[in-house]
Amino acid sequence: MGETTSKKSLLHFTQGVIKHFEEDYLRSPTDEDLRRFLYQNEMRGFPGMICSIDCMHWEWKNCPTAWRGPYQGRSGKAFLILEAVADQDLWIWHSFFGIPRSSNDLNVLHRSPVFDDVLTGKAPPITFQVNGHEYNMGYYLTDGIYPNWATFIQRFSRPQLETERLFANRQVQFRKDVERAFGVLQARFAIVLQPSMAYDEDILGDIMKACIILHDIIVQDERDMYVRADVLRRYYEEDLSSLTAIVNNGEPFEFQTRQPFSINALLGRITALRSSQIHHSLKEDLIEHNWQKYGGNNH
């Protein structure tokens, strides 16, 4: 009886958190958010970088036997996957939860809504310059399994040149923002660290979403006390005209909900987002940019 009451209380609590706070805390970044990301990341040597993206696994101990196959890994245990995007402050902006363990990060990506706003034109346009070349789409830092798209920048798995080694070290340092967010999330909420005892996947989804929302609330409350809070203060106080990254030409962005759907525009966005040519060009420019800024006599 007590265990049933406890489960009901947990369910009511998670649903209450989602109902009251999801819209404010688990949402797409605003123009102002994007400008802050771009400022912070340009200061780190990555102009045009938005955030970092990765996946986390949560063991599903009581996965029903009939469903176990797709969720089961090589260890024989069942897992659910969380895809998330996190910024330097460890705020989790995007979450996509519930994909079976048999999917890898790449399979999750192809089912994820992470680029829906970009593809539908709801995301404000971003332009930036690296190494004298202009680009028109922000990107995420990722691990090596992600594809060579214009929106992903991975490190070198086996860097040969000194320029590549410097870039690889700096890329992995900042790519770990999302991994640190996962670690803090699990440290704050042991329920998503320990194997889940629930049978219902929807309940697990609500628990994960509520924990992420509460995590973001804490990040917002504590952000001003971070060691790097002075970076945020400079963002709001300094003249940012020297930055290369611009959101919507510096103007407020408002999505026109009544604009007609265009299949050609959608296909064009998909082509640009998945362009391997832009990816390789951007990566080479970022390597050179980091070397000029931090390599050689500056390193």
Side-chain angles (χ1 to χ4, degrees), residues 252-299:
F253 177 77
E254 183 176 349
F255 177 65
Q256 303 298 320
T257 56
R258 295 184 179 180
Q259 63 183 0
F261 173 77
S262 169
I263 186 64
N264 290 332
L266 174 62
L267 293 175
R269 293 186 189 109
I270 292 174
T271 300
L273 186 148
R274 298 187 177 188
S275 171
S276 60
Q277 180 179 354
I278 295 175
H279 164 86
H280 290 297
S281 174
L282 173 59
K283 191 169 185 177
E284 289 300 319
D285 282 337
L286 287 170
I287 292 169
E288 180 62 24
H289 175 78
N290 273 267
W291 180 253
Q292 292 295 330
K293 192 170 183 178
Y294 303 104
N297 295 331
N298 298 321
H299 185 44

Side-chain angles (χ1 to χ4, degrees), residues 28-92:
S28 298
T30 64
D31 297 16
E32 184 66 21
D33 294 323
L34 285 172
R35 291 186 180 98
R36 178 166 50 82
F37 297 161
L38 294 169
Y39 172 79
Q40 291 173 326
N41 292 321
E42 186 159 342
M43 295 301 98
R44 301 161 100 186
F46 285 87
M49 173 187 163
I50 300 174
C51 292
S52 57
I53 184 171
D54 205 351
C55 292
M56 180 186 91
H57 300 142
W58 186 16
E59 183 181 345
W60 190 4
K61 186 171 183 178
N62 285 342
C63 175
T65 304
W67 300 356
R68 200 169 188 86
Y71 295 89
Q72 191 166 284
R74 294 180 180 178
S75 64
K77 299 176 180 179
F79 291 86
L80 289 162
I81 298 177
L82 167 70
E83 177 194 74
V85 166
D87 67 14
Q88 187 178 1
D89 298 328
L90 309 188
W91 185 302
I92 297 175

Side-chain angles (χ1 to χ4, degrees), residues 83-189:
E83 177 194 74
V85 166
D87 67 14
Q88 187 178 1
D89 298 328
L90 309 188
W91 185 302
I92 297 175
W93 291 95
H94 155 83
S95 69
F96 179 52
F97 178 74
I99 301 300
R101 171 63 181 84
S102 58
S103 301
N104 58 29
D105 293 7
L106 188 56
N107 300 137
V108 175
L109 171 66
H110 287 297
R111 298 173 62 177
S112 167
V114 65
F115 292 122
D116 283 3
D117 284 353
V118 174
L119 296 178
T120 56
K122 294 180 181 179
I126 294 173
T127 59
F128 62 96
Q129 292 187 358
V130 189
N131 198 31
H133 298 138
E134 183 171 287
Y135 296 92
N136 299 306
M137 189 174 293
Y139 59 89
Y140 299 88
L141 296 189
T142 70
D143 62 19
I145 197 171
Y146 283 80
N148 293 333
W149 291 359
T151 45
F152 296 132
I153 294 295
Q154 312 92 337
R155 74 181 181 96
F156 290 94
S157 56
R158 294 181 179 86
Q160 302 296 318
L161 303 176
E162 193 171 350
T163 55
E164 295 175 350
R165 288 195 289 270
L166 172 67
F167 176 81
N169 290 335
R170 293 185 59 77
Q171 192 274 357
V172 74
Q173 177 184 352
F174 302 134
R175 178 184 66 78
K176 288 187 176 181
D177 288 347
V178 67
E179 293 182 10
R180 286 191 288 269
F182 289 149
V184 172
L185 178 71
Q186 291 177 318
R188 284 176 171 156
F189 306 103

